[in-house]
Amino acid sequence: MRKLKYLDYWLLVPYLILSVFGIVMVYSASADIGTQNGGSPGSYLIKQALYVFLGLAILGFMIMMNINKLRNRRLLKIAGYFAYGALFFLLIRGETVNGAAGWISLGPINIQPAEFIKFYIIIWLSNVITNRQDDLEEYSWWSTMRQPLLVCFIILALIVKQPDLGGAAINGAIMFVLFLSSGFASRWAKIIFTGIIAAGIFVVMPALSWLASSSAGKGSYQLQRIVAFMNPFEHAQGVGQQLVNSYYAISNGGIFGVGWGNSIQKTGYLPEPNTDFIMAILTEELGLITALAVVTLLFVIILRTVLIGVRSNSTYQSLVCYGAATYLAVQTSFNLGGVLGFLPITGVTFPFISYGGSSTWTLALVMGVVMNISARQKRYRMTN
């Protein structure tokens, strides 16, 4: 219980505000679809409230635990078996949602393993890099890190196979930042990063766009999202419907919004109003000013997480913080990018606000570890 007086309120307060506000917005965004699906208007509200309540329990547990236990070799090995097993299971019997077989049905709830993989990657790869610090100084980076690099490629390949391109991109970004933080030669990092961006702009995107427009790609949900991204209004009655109605929602909201619960686009015009496009509904109902306030709170969490990592004298703790900040920043960017039409729609939820148990619990795990690290730092400063 001593850790409670060392809590980082720069993290805890935004976490609580966003989580409670997320429950409120899930209720508003999902009341119509809850009724349409044969349930009650508050069905999603009850589920999200339970997810957040369990998330708070997870958060408390992660804050109070000895963080060094996360580095236990047996624990990481067991977690790895579960992670790989879940990803392989999805290839055989995964539940398909929005074109991706990325869900495991457990009675009344669906679990999305790719969400929990983010937390696993953060704690596992941070531990691997920390344990190999001496080898990194003595031997070349490639010879030291090629085995974990191969494991990461396998994990990403299994996620892409679902296909969950958004989840793969976020996990890939976490891996890239952690590998970069391990001492990966900056010159090579710049070359690889520039190559990836150039390939995406000049090769991959045009190729995917052509394939999505061809007869071979007509049946691919993922490829059709590229079509919607390239020219949404031309396909407003088909694959561009989500993005076009997202624009309408944001335009209707203006600066101050049309009022909580008064969204038009959530009444059947905008698919997934309580998950992927909840920020469009939020902006329509509560306006641009509220949307900016939500993003600002997330920015505070991300910036604080990076600062905690920079302050830490432990390589492991610093890497965990950098991985957590990357996770939050990239996921937020992907969701907002899809809602605003800056990026293809990837099916990525908005942290804390969107409906979903897997994302809520993963956020609780990650935030709990970061708050644990912050509490340790604060206690050290106050006792020395």
Side-chain angles (χ1 to χ4, degrees), residues 151-211:
V151 172
C152 288
F153 274 122
I154 293 173
I155 291 174
L156 291 180
L158 290 172
I159 297 175
V160 169
K161 183 63 177 176
Q162 296 175 16
D164 181 3
L165 301 184
I170 295 171
N171 279 289
I174 295 170
M175 295 170 185
F176 179 81
V177 168
L178 291 180
F179 279 127
L180 193 62
S181 302
S182 71
F184 185 47
S186 59
R187 180 170 63 90
W188 284 105
K190 291 176 182 177
I191 292 173
I192 293 174
F193 185 73
T194 303
I196 291 173
I197 298 298
I201 295 175
F202 298 109
V203 180
V204 178
M205 287 296 293
L208 289 176
S209 179
W210 173 83
L211 182 59

Side-chain angles (χ1 to χ4, degrees), residues 111-320:
I111 299 296
Q112 190 176 14
E115 285 292 325
F116 296 101
I117 292 292
K118 297 167 187 172
F119 176 69
Y120 170 71
I121 288 296
I122 291 171
I123 62 171
W124 167 73
L125 194 52
S126 296
N127 186 61
V128 168
I129 294 171
T130 302
N131 290 340
R132 301 190 181 199
Q133 282 296 294
D134 292 338
D135 291 339
L136 285 168
E137 294 177 4
E138 185 174 354
Y139 305 106
S140 70
W141 188 93
W142 295 106
S143 63
T144 305
M145 300 303 298
R146 62 189 176 192
Q147 182 180 359
L149 190 62
L150 176 61
V151 172
C152 288
F153 274 122
I154 293 173
I155 291 174
L156 291 180
L158 290 172
I159 297 175
V160 169
K161 183 63 177 176
Q162 296 175 16
D164 181 3
L165 301 184
I170 295 171
N171 279 289
I174 295 170
M175 295 170 185
F176 179 81
V177 168
L178 291 180
F179 279 127
L180 193 62
S181 302
S182 71
F184 185 47
S186 59
R187 180 170 63 90
W188 284 105
K190 291 176 182 177
I191 292 173
I192 293 174
F193 185 73
T194 303
I196 291 173
I197 298 298
I201 295 175
F202 298 109
V203 180
V204 178
M205 287 296 293
L208 289 176
S209 179
W210 173 83
L211 182 59
S213 302
S214 68
S215 58
K218 291 296 184 183
S220 171
Y221 184 82
Q222 300 292 335
L223 289 176
Q224 289 303 304
R225 283 176 166 177
I226 305 297
V227 172
F229 167 68
M230 300 296 287
N231 198 337
F233 286 96
E234 185 177 333
H235 305 277
Q237 301 303 314
V239 293
Q241 180 187 12
Q242 287 179 309
L243 186 53
V244 169
N245 283 290
S246 177
Y247 288 153
Y248 289 155
I250 294 171
S251 176
N252 289 342
I255 296 178
F256 298 106
V258 297
W260 183 78
N262 295 327
S263 167
I264 297 173
Q265 297 305 313
K266 71 180 182 183
T267 60
Y269 296 99
L270 186 60
E272 312 298 335
N274 60 332
T275 55
D276 303 2
F277 285 89
I278 197 166
M279 286 301 290
I281 303 301
L282 185 153
T283 306
E284 183 181 12
E285 294 188 346
L286 302 177
L288 177 64
I289 191 168
T290 304
L292 289 176
V294 168
V295 174
T296 300
L297 285 175
L298 258 170
F299 180 75
V300 169
I301 292 176
I302 294 168
L303 189 63
R304 184 68 174 178
T305 301
V306 173
L307 181 61
I308 293 168
V310 171
R311 286 177 174 176
S312 178
N313 293 323
S314 164
T315 300
Y316 174 75
Q317 293 176 18
S318 293
L319 291 174
V320 167

